[in-house]
Amino acid sequence: MTTEDIPRLSGEWMTPRRRFISALFGGRVDKIPAMTLSSVATLEGMEIADADFPEAHLDAEKMARLAATAHENLGLDTVMPVFHSQLEADALDADTWWGEKDNWPATKGHVLDDPDSFKIPPDYLERRSFKAVLGAIKLLRKRYPDVGIVGKVYGPWSVGFHLVGIENWLMGTITEPDKIRRYLEVLLPASMMSAHAQFEAGADAVMWADHANRELCSPETYRDFLLEMHQGVTEEMGGPSILHCCGETTDRIDYFAEAGWDCFHFESQVDPVKAKEIVRDRMSLFGNINNPTILFSGTYDDTYKACMEVLEAGIQGVAPEGSVPLGVKMEVLQALSDSARDYSNANRPDGRLVTFNPTK
Amino acid sequence: MAQLSDITNAVIRTEIEEFIDDPAEIERNVELFAKASAQMQEIAAALLEGDNDTVDQLTRIALDEGIEALEIMDDGLIAGMGIVGIKFRDGFIFVPEVLVCARAMKAGMAHIEPILAASGAEPAGTVIMGTVKGDLHDIGKNLCIMMLRGGGFIVIDLGVDTSPEEFLEAVAEHDAHVIGMSALLTTTMPNMAKTVEAFKDAGLREKVRFMVGGAPVTPEFAEDVGADGYGKDAMAAVELATKLAIEVRA
Ligand code: B1M
């Protein structure tokens, strides 16, 4: 057999999992991945999977089935079973309202007012929220060995919102900064344990959410309270890391890159071209299709067009900006994988690897 | 016309110079502070610095000296909060700073409110505010409430996850005519329409005015749900509530 006889790879030859991981590190891909990084659970998906909210939050089997719709029905390269933001907070005794079929869960009351009284319960990782999520990740790993599995962790900043109350927390950054730092210190191990457990269960990457966006605080607040801590997190997380921070973050993306995240999942308020200019090749960018205007109120064509625009900016993967509204239609979400496929087909000059837009 | 130099307090002068760009807003603030006494300017300056202890102390001293509660509220606390609103709207300060200033405002209002209540002085209006059913986002709503209180309104805060029935009950209980609804989730925005419908069903729609807001809400959506106005931000909410309160009284 000569070299000429070896069949050439062309078109889509990577598994979704391999494609996702490669893109996460800014590597070679046969196709740009289209993903879910927060939730793409929808009312329609619940019908298909026969797995409704709120049961799907606490039942591993239902959670896994609902998460799988992302790949099975939408053709996305990843699945993501943590549809809510309560995983750690609930296991830390927050007062959780598990929501309804057509609404998400949330924390109703605040339980912590002294960092030094905080303790991680000995059975933390065995509590109901973890049982469901870790169980679902294991099921998904078994059922989808070739699909990317994304876990989700709320970092100490965002768990603090739940346990201490968001206003107490934000005001505390000015009135009692040492107390907030102490909270961050004592809450951090809970988030780290969550990340490690999700990796162990089979997640390929963990998305770490700490909401320090412009709608909530200044870039200096991120720098002074979180940057150094996040540098430690990215070193010790034990696997590929994706930072999620909602809202407008252009003025702090540079800090995010400095923190060592492998990838940043960003929202539609951020211009992808500008974001790319700031981060260059220090981390990958996944995002940022708008939820209310495009996915919820728009059509398949609107979404397809929005995806093409963000792909043109040269980012490494396309995904909704955050948890998609539950009323979004599957047909509209289908535009994510269709656009990634079409963009890749048009940018695969050697038939093998996608060329990213040169503006990147 | 008053000049910036007519304002005696250096902190207030710097705040206006550094943070207000719009000529009409500069003029309004310069007029306001130039006519305010040095003592009132000092209260406003302490509020702008988020110094609740000083606001508390200065308010008590002013009241002890016989200064009218209404003057302290208008020329000290509300005037200071006005600049806070502008700085937040224009991105010079962030939510934590607003919360700290609002805490200072509250420290002053704790002395003023009982006096005003006893004197029967007319507030700018009473507003019922709540985040709609199923929605637990409340930072935006709370900022609006702070600015509304800073604008002289009495605000009844129904908190988050507020059902149409709770809005109806609150209106009856507090004899209020302006209702503010906030929503941050596309899934909960339709509950604004449900509340408006509930008022129609109860035969009360004509007696009240609805204002709506929250990041995903648009003026078109406000119109679709039958609301009377849309507030883009907390400053806009105060302007809108003022307009609606006048309208409903007429
Ligand atoms: C009556 O008249 C008026 C007039 C003006 C009015 C008004 C009323 N109300 C507001 N305004 C106006 O004035 C204010 C001041 O200028 C402004 O208020 P805003 O509220 O717009 O602005 C605030 C000052 C700052 N902004 C905020 O406070 C919202 C910030 C973001 C980051 C946000 C936060 C903080 C939170 N969240 Co949530 N959260 C997001 C937000 C992302 C973003 N980009 O905004 C959003 C809103 N969240 C979202 C989601 C999906 C969720 N959240 C959830 C939970 C949370 C936290 C608990 C973590 C926290 C809320 C804490 C709290 N107590 O409020 C969950 C829902 C829980 C529930 N049932 O409510 C969960 C479902 C997440 C999950 N998967 O579980 C998204 C909604 C998507 C959609 N449109 O449907 C979201 C846009 C993020 C995203 N892109 O995915 C104006 O809009």
Side-chain angles (χ1 to χ4, degrees):
Chain A
M1 203 179 195
T2 66
T3 335
E4 280 81 68
D5 298 331
I6 300 171
R8 292 281 144 206
L9 294 167
S10 67
E12 294 176 25
W13 47 271
M14 284 177 146
T15 63
R17 185 180 184 186
R18 187 173 168 199
R19 177 182 301 132
F20 159 65
I21 294 172
S22 182
L24 198 153
F25 289 112
R28 298 180 297 276
V29 283
D30 62 338
K31 184 179 85 165
I32 298 192
M35 294 159 293
T36 167
L37 301 167
S38 347
S39 160
V40 286
T42 59
L43 293 169
E44 235 181 292
M46 292 179 207
E47 295 303 316
I48 294 170
D50 188 21
D52 289 353
F53 278 13
E55 294 81 23
H57 300 308
L58 293 174
D59 177 325
E61 170 60 35
K62 287 186 176 169
M63 185 182 266
R65 285 209 307 267
L66 184 54
T69 58
H71 179 70
E72 293 283 359
N73 305 90
L74 301 172
L76 298 177
D77 292 297
T78 61
V79 292
M80 213 301 303
V82 198
F83 313 120
H84 55 79
S85 56
Q86 306 301 124
L87 176 59
E88 297 79 13
D90 187 64
L92 294 171
D93 296 322
D95 177 10
T96 308
W97 171 69
W98 285 101
E100 292 150 346
K101 177 169 180 180
D102 59 357
N103 208 347
W104 285 286
T107 300
K108 289 217 113 164
H110 309 303
V111 292
L112 191 62
D113 59 12
D114 174 10
D116 292 315
S117 70
F118 173 79
K119 277 197 180 57
I120 298 177
D123 60 345
Y124 174 59
L125 293 173
E126 279 104 55
R127 292 194 163 191
R128 58 182 180 179
S129 57
F130 274 106
K131 238 187 204 149
V133 166
L134 299 176
I137 294 176
K138 283 181 192 150
L139 287 173
L140 288 163
R141 185 73 296 154
K142 216 151 86 209
R143 291 174 194 169
Y144 298 98
D146 291 337
V147 176
I149 298 178
V150 184
K152 189 203 278 177
V153 166
Y154 260 41
W157 178 268
S158 287
V159 171
F161 289 180
H162 285 309
L163 300 185
V164 179
I166 194 161
E167 281 173 25
N168 300 333
W169 187 273
L170 292 175
M171 190 152 79
T173 59
I174 296 177
T175 56
E176 298 175 293
D178 291 341
K179 188 171 176 184
I180 298 297
R181 287 200 177 89
R182 180 81 187 120
Y183 272 129
L184 289 169
E185 207 174 287
V186 298
L187 291 171
L188 178 64
S191 301
M192 285 306 252
M193 283 168 76
S194 173
H196 291 152
Q198 291 182 60
F199 278 124
E200 223 164 89
D204 293 304
V206 163
M207 189 181 84
W208 182 285
D210 265 328
H211 302 89
N213 42 305
R214 195 174 165 83
E215 288 83 352
L216 299 180
C217 63
S218 69
E220 292 72 32
T221 304
Y222 178 82
R223 182 195 62 199
D224 298 344
F225 286 86
L226 286 170
L227 177 54
E228 202 180 323
M229 170 172 282
H230 279 180
Q231 282 169 336
V233 170
T234 55
E235 261 174 44
E236 288 170 26
M237 204 156 124
S241 63
I242 305 170
L243 174 70
H244 174 77
C245 183
C246 284
E248 169 57 284
T249 48
T250 315
D251 58 8
R252 57 208 77 191
I253 290 182
D254 194 39
Y255 292 138
F256 298 163
E258 283 309 302
W261 297 103
D262 297 316
C263 176
F264 175 46
H265 175 222
F266 66 111
E267 284 212 352
S268 56
Q269 288 95 324
V270 177
D271 173 0
V273 175
K274 208 164 193 181
K276 195 83 186 96
E277 264 167 33
I278 298 169
V279 305
R280 298 184 308 279
D281 58 0
R282 289 180 293 165
M283 63 179 178
S284 292
L285 292 169
F286 289 164
N288 72 341
I289 306 306
N290 176 281
N291 272 330
T293 340
I294 303 290
L295 292 172
F296 184 68
S297 313
T299 60
Y300 172 94
D301 290 342
D302 297 329
T303 305
Y304 187 91
K305 188 167 163 270
C307 291
M308 281 299 184
E309 277 167 19
V310 57
L311 288 164
E312 283 294 333
I315 67 163
Q316 284 84 356
V318 65
E321 61 178 345
S323 300
V324 308
L326 301 174
V328 169
K329 296 273 164 280
M330 300 289 259
E331 180 203 326
V332 171
L333 288 169
Q334 187 66 44
L336 291 161
S337 51
D338 288 356
S339 57
R341 177 201 61 211
D342 295 349
Y343 179 86
S344 303
N345 284 341
N347 289 277
R348 201 187 280 116
D350 65 354
R352 183 183 153 80
L353 294 170
V354 173
T355 319
F356 285 102
N357 187 302
T359 57
K360 74 180 189 282
Chain B
M1 205 171 87
Q3 302 297 316
L4 191 68
S5 53
D6 296 334
I7 299 171
T8 49
N9 190 292
V11 173
I12 303 286
R13 279 201 310 271
T14 315
E15 291 276 332
I16 294 176
E17 248 176 347
E18 272 190 30
F19 300 114
I20 309 184
D21 290 332
D22 176 12
E25 279 179 347
I26 295 176
E27 193 184 321
R28 201 175 63 235
N29 277 283
V30 169
E31 289 292 338
L32 188 68
F33 283 106
K35 79 166 177 39
S37 68
Q39 216 171 344
M40 293 307 107
Q41 292 180 32
E42 213 182 323
I43 290 178
L47 184 148
L48 277 156
E49 282 167 347
D51 184 347
N52 58 328
D53 289 338
T54 304
V55 171
D56 169 89
Q57 207 182 4
L58 291 177
T59 306
R60 259 186 298 130
I61 293 171
L63 286 169
D64 288 347
E65 285 174 5
I67 297 172
E68 292 284 330
L70 210 56
E71 181 184 339
I72 303 173
M73 183 172 87
D74 285 342
D75 294 356
L77 302 171
I78 293 183
M81 211 54 194
I83 299 187
V84 174
I86 293 172
K87 285 167 72 180
F88 176 63
R89 182 198 64 199
D90 295 346
F92 290 112
I93 56 170
F94 297 85
V95 173
E97 288 83 0
V98 179
L99 292 172
V100 172
C101 294
R103 185 183 64 161
M105 163 108 191
K106 219 163 155 188
M109 285 306 286
H111 302 292
I112 305 286
E113 260 164 6
I115 300 172
L116 291 183
S119 75
E122 273 281 299
T126 301
V127 183
I128 307 285
M129 286 281 280
T131 302
V132 295
K133 183 100 195 103
D135 203 323
L136 284 101
H137 292 86
D138 62 359
I139 306 169
K141 172 198 63 107
N142 293 350
L143 289 182
C144 289
I145 291 177
M146 287 164 202
M147 294 310 296
L148 282 164
R149 291 194 175 133
F153 281 88
I154 290 181
V155 183
I156 312 298
D157 181 7
L158 302 183
V160 294
D161 192 23
T162 313
S163 65
E165 296 73 36
E166 285 168 302
F167 279 109
L168 274 165
E169 280 162 25
V171 164
E173 189 186 335
H174 300 282
D175 189 29
H177 303 282
V178 179
I179 300 163
M181 293 186 282
S182 180
L184 267 281
L185 297 170
T186 28
T187 39
T188 58
M189 281 160 65
N191 294 335
M192 292 180 159
K194 286 189 189 149
T195 306
V196 176
E197 281 304 312
F199 275 78
K200 273 190 196 152
D201 293 347
L204 293 172
R205 178 64 187 93
E206 299 312 318
K207 293 206 160 61
V208 295
R209 293 290 179 274
F210 284 100
M211 56 177 195
V212 293
V217 179
T218 60
E220 295 75 37
F221 180 82
E223 214 178 307
D224 286 352
V225 298
D228 302 291
Y230 157 78
K232 186 179 170 296
D233 52 36
M235 293 284 282
V238 180
E239 265 174 49
L240 183 59
T242 309
K243 183 180 142 244
L244 296 179
I246 294 169
E247 218 177 274
V248 79
R249 270 197 214 115

